[in-house]
Amino acid sequence: MTMLVAKNIILGITGGIAAYKTVDLARKLVQAGASVQCVLTESAAQFVSPLALQAVTGLAVRSALFDTDAEAAMGHIELARWADILLIAPATANTLAKLAHGLADDLLATLALATKAELVIAPAMNGDMWRHPATQTNLALLQQRGARLIEPASGSLACGEVDVGRMQEPQDIVNALAQSQPEPILAGKRVLITAGPTFEDIDPVRFIGNRSSGKMGYALAQAARDMGAEVVLISGPTALPDPQGINTIRVRSALQMLQVVQSHFTGTDFMVAAAAVADYRVERIASNKLKKQGDGGLTLNLVQNQDIVAWAAEQPNRGKVIAFAAETDDVLANAQAKLVRKGVDAVLANSVANGAAFEQDMNHLWLITPQQQQDLGIATKQHLAFVIWQMLSGQRS
Ligand code: PMT
């Protein structure tokens, strides 16, 4: 977390329910070594107490553009110049629209126009507002101008729906900031990631699937993008939105995933197979919904799917190929065996016993190569993704 030591951060808080998390966020930023000046919009003050923010940052909260006392202590232009990072969390759809179009009708929007600091936005809103073309266009405009996005997560929202639109957790925002402007160690590299589950259809309404959410693979894809790579993400069915700036190709079955990998593999510098691919598929998919037959059971004939990552490892003149190993027991021994059997350069091993790894925001990974077994520790999938890329590209040992 040393990257935030001595950083000056303006924490801009706008009017969404996620604003209640910003006391914790501000506290964590201070603990990571940053000086934090909170700036609240008028509506944010309905959701979070300025006094609580002042207590954790040690600095009086700023809200009004024309506050003569505050301006006398540090004028808003001076404040804009003081900042290394302008973090807006939560950022509402309204704020994104204002920033995209250069409005300066309150202190926060004025600071955003006046500062040369890195703009980092952590949006939070209803899923439909997030997907709306107006919001996505505003976001794309801000990103074109260099703003950094901490994408909203999926989960239950204040409106009662389960959808994308939750502000990332404070610790993930702090981790993302600490990784802010990561070294472009993957610049010029082509990266291919598989992520999520595969669904093997049984009939028009049923399938064999698994619990992969795609979070691990998407985190790897986003970290690679942030480190300068050109990224192709081949994703099984997930609830996650397509990440910005990544060529995301959606597939359903293992066969489809294999075909898309094969057509995008040439010229790939790194392939990381984070997808939980079905080892078997149903031999014949029924064209009509299967009916219950008397009182007896049902036998499905399964045939083996081709191993996608093993196919990649067999290709001549290939880049590095990295598999995952999801194990419930003997994690390291089984992962070591997969390294040899699949002919890959490295395996990222995780335990999936007792509900670990699948669907979780955190993971515990080991990196296994022919030379070593290294415990990468327990951390958010985002943080692990950055560590993995640093290790794979030889920037960290
Ligand atoms: O998606 P999340 O909810 O974030 O969960 C993350 C995860 C647990 C899915 C991820 O960390 C993980 O372990 N992914 C690999 C899951 C898996 O299927 O592991 P496996 O041990 O069964 O397969 C080993 C490797 O072979 C994997 O890289 C897999 O992508 C690959 N494989 C397997 C079968 C197949 N037909 N083709 C493949 O390429």
Side-chain angles (χ1 to χ4, degrees):
M1 225 36 81
T2 49
M3 287 175 82
L4 294 184
V5 171
K7 288 280 178 198
N8 294 334
I9 300 178
I10 296 176
L11 173 55
I13 305 170
T14 72
I17 181 67
Y20 84 90
K21 294 183 182 173
T22 54
V23 176
D24 188 30
L25 174 59
R27 191 177 58 86
K28 286 188 158 72
L29 289 170
V30 170
Q31 283 170 346
S35 299
V36 181
Q37 169 67 66
C38 293
V39 173
L40 260 72
T41 62
E42 208 180 310
S43 46
Q46 309 290 325
F47 295 97
V48 62
S49 146
L51 204 58
L53 290 165
Q54 178 174 336
V56 295
T57 62
L59 291 174
V61 167
R62 301 278 299 259
S63 332
L65 189 50
F66 304 110
D67 177 335
T68 42
D69 288 345
E71 284 290 309
M74 195 196 297
H76 63 271
I77 297 296
E78 214 181 322
L79 181 57
R81 289 187 184 141
W82 168 85
D84 298 304
I85 299 170
L86 170 55
L87 166 65
I88 305 189
T92 58
N94 182 52
T95 302
L96 295 181
K98 284 208 295 192
L99 299 190
H101 298 284
L103 268 65
D105 60 349
D106 62 12
L107 178 60
L108 183 57
T110 306
L111 287 170
L113 270 188
T115 192
K116 290 194 169 52
E118 183 191 14
L119 174 62
V120 183
I121 38 189
M125 64 193 74
N126 158 277
D128 289 323
M129 291 171 80
W130 169 249
R131 283 183 291 270
H132 195 286
T135 305
Q136 291 301 315
T137 307
N138 290 333
L139 202 59
L141 205 55
L142 289 168
Q143 286 182 295
Q144 274 164 27
R145 293 189 205 129
R148 183 152 181 254
L149 170 69
I150 300 179
E151 297 194 33
S154 299
S156 56
L157 304 178
C159 57
E161 291 166 8
V162 176
D163 203 346
V164 62
R166 277 167 72 100
M167 187 178 83
Q168 291 279 355
E169 291 306 316
Q171 189 59 56
D172 286 325
I173 295 178
V174 175
N175 291 347
L177 274 191
Q179 306 282 1
S180 202
Q181 294 173 333
E183 295 283 303
I185 55 176
L186 295 176
K189 300 287 182 205
R190 291 194 60 216
V191 165
L192 190 156
I193 313 272
T194 66
T198 63
F199 286 178
E200 308 302 324
D201 287 332
I202 297 171
D203 69 12
V205 295
R206 303 178 181 97
F207 59 86
I208 300 169
N210 63 65
R211 287 174 42 200
S212 171
S213 62
K215 286 179 185 174
M216 189 70 244
Y218 281 53
L220 280 160
Q222 285 159 336
R225 172 202 62 196
D226 293 346
M227 291 169 140
E230 186 192 322
V231 185
V232 177
L233 172 63
I234 303 170
S235 171
T238 73
L240 303 176
D242 290 1
Q244 303 278 332
I246 290 176
N247 179 10
T248 306
I249 304 169
R250 301 271 177 177
V251 298
R252 183 170 173 84
S253 65
L255 264 181
Q256 288 169 0
M257 188 172 274
L258 173 69
Q259 282 158 7
V260 178
V261 167
Q262 287 176 333
S263 60
H264 286 79
F265 188 72
T266 308
T268 292
D269 295 290
F270 294 93
M271 169 176 172
V272 182
V277 184
D279 287 324
Y280 296 91
R281 67 177 180 278
V282 177
E283 187 173 27
R284 244 178 241 103
I285 302 172
S287 46
N288 296 317
K289 186 180 168 204
L290 293 175
K291 298 268 183 286
K292 193 154 60 173
Q293 310 264 327
D295 294 332
L298 171 74
T299 304
L300 290 173
N301 242 359
L302 302 181
V303 291
Q304 229 176 79
N305 279 321
Q306 185 171 342
D307 195 306
I308 302 170
V309 78
W311 171 87
E314 280 166 6
Q315 301 312 299
N317 308 320
R318 61 166 175 81
K320 282 191 180 162
V321 175
I322 298 98
F324 267 75
E327 307 292 340
T328 51
D329 44 284
D330 295 333
V331 176
L332 297 186
N334 283 325
Q336 184 76 44
K338 272 183 184 157
L339 176 81
V340 177
R341 198 166 65 241
K342 291 176 188 267
V344 294
D345 300 299
V347 167
L348 290 155
N350 44 196
S351 167
V352 290
N354 307 317
F358 278 113
E359 299 168 309
Q360 306 298 320
D361 292 328
M362 311 279 288
N363 204 0
H364 186 180
L365 285 173
W366 284 263
L367 178 67
I368 296 169
T369 65
Q371 294 77 34
Q372 59 169 3
Q373 289 191 348
Q374 194 160 344
D375 185 350
L376 304 185
I378 301 173
T380 61
K381 287 175 178 173
Q382 281 85 358
H383 181 73
L384 285 168
F386 279 101
V387 172
I388 289 165
W389 287 121
Q390 284 168 341
M391 298 201 69
L392 293 178
S393 54
Q395 304 285 316
R396 182 184 184 132
S397 51

